[in-house]
């Protein structure tokens, strides 16, 4: 490597920034009648691509709390958020000043229990409930696509175990006949 190439490489490394941290919510709901799971997708305000609610760290809030807050502000959904991350994905974001940065988004599952009529970004985005496969097909980021499919498997396993447990508690085992002691 020439001296000039080495210097150019070193300068590039000096100006490369680590990914900016964000927190996101993979919002889902289980339909009562069919037991089918749907996930929430929304469009970004700037490019209109399909994304999940996400945002920057907030003072005095844990990562999963930020994900929950962003889900409410951006999509108007409330619910129960898991404290353990599902995983992460990266994407390229253009900031207001035109600078392009890489963002790393830690994702948390949020089971939606309520949808607000009014919320901060209402009317600024399109919101849709879709299947896992549809969501995986719409998002651009391969790592986010993988998170949707991995969560689909997790939910399938979780719901199967719940159904099996329900069946076992529904089946009543007759009590054994007691034989009096002599």
């Amino acid at each position: 490597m020439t001296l000039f190439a080495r210097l150019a490489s070193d300068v590039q490394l000096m100006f490369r920034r680590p990914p900016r941290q964000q927190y996101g919510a993979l919002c889902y709901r289980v339909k009562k009648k069919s037991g089918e799971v749907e996930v929430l997708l929304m469009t970004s305000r700037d490019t209109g691509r399909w994304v999940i609610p996400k945002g920057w760290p907030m003072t005095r809030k844990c990562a999963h709390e930020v994900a929950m807050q962003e889900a409410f502000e951006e999509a108007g959904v409330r619910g129960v958020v898991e404290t353990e991350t599902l995983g992460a994905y990266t994407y390229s974001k253009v900031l207001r000043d035109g600078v392009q940065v890489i963002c790393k988004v830690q994702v948390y599952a949020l089971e939606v229990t309520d949808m607000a009529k009014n919320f901060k970004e209402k009317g600024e985005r399109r919101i849709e409930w879709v299947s896992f496969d549809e969501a995986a097909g719409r998002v651009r980021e391969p790592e986010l696509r993988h998170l949707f499919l991995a969560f689909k498997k997790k939910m399938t396993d979780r719901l199967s175990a719940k159904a099996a447990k329900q069946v076992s508690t529904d089946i009543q085992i007759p009590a054994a006949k007691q034989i009096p002691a002599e």
Side-chain angles (χ1 to χ4, degrees):
M1 184 184 297
T2 68
L3 178 61
F4 181 72
R6 172 125 184 164
L7 282 172
S9 174
D10 288 349
V11 168
Q12 259 187 330
L13 286 174
M14 284 174 33
F15 288 105
R16 186 184 309 162
R17 293 184 176 148
R20 306 274 181 99
Q21 185 67 59
Q22 289 190 314
Y23 304 109
L26 193 158
C27 304
Y28 71 97
R29 66 183 181 188
V30 181
K31 289 179 154 184
K32 287 187 185 351
K33 289 184 180 178
S34 66
E36 180 185 349
V37 180
E38 293 180 315
V39 291
L40 181 138
L41 280 183
M42 61 184 200
T43 54
S44 67
R45 290 188 293 182
D46 51 355
T47 63
R49 74 186 194 286
W50 291 104
V51 297
I52 62 172
K54 63 188 170 303
W56 304 107
M58 296 177 189
T59 306
R60 292 191 278 295
K61 282 197 188 272
C62 296
H64 66 278
E65 293 171 324
V66 171
M68 186 170 56
Q69 178 74 32
E70 292 297 335
F72 179 69
E73 289 179 7
E74 296 180 358
V77 295
R78 290 188 183 102
V80 179
V81 67
E82 293 182 14
T83 57
E84 189 177 317
T85 183
L86 292 174
Y89 72 97
T90 55
Y91 76 102
S92 182
K93 178 175 185 65
V94 178
L95 301 176
R96 288 187 187 130
D97 60 7
V99 174
Q100 187 172 352
V101 297
I102 299 298
C103 294
K104 181 179 180 181
V105 184
Q106 265 182 248
V107 180
Y108 296 85
L110 185 145
E111 183 173 11
V112 174
T113 57
D114 184 47
M115 294 185 67
K117 286 186 170 54
N118 293 306
F119 52 96
K120 189 175 181 180
E121 296 183 15
K122 183 179 181 175
E124 297 179 30
R125 305 168 182 276
R126 217 167 100 208
I127 297 169
E128 288 187 26
W129 288 97
V130 298
S131 69
F132 285 109
D133 294 332
E134 179 70 21
R138 287 190 190 186
V139 297
R140 288 186 189 164
E141 299 81 6
E143 296 162 311
L144 180 54
R145 185 174 301 129
H146 175 73
L147 284 175
F148 274 117
L149 298 175
F151 190 60
K152 174 185 178 180
K153 182 177 180 346
K154 182 177 182 175
M155 286 303 296
T156 301
D157 294 348
R158 188 184 291 176
L159 293 172
S160 295
K162 186 177 178 181
K165 186 176 180 181
Q166 183 63 41
V167 167
S168 70
T169 58
D170 288 347
I171 299 171
Q172 301 241 342
I173 301 170
K177 252 188 175 173
Q178 297 257 335
I179 301 172
E182 293 182 30

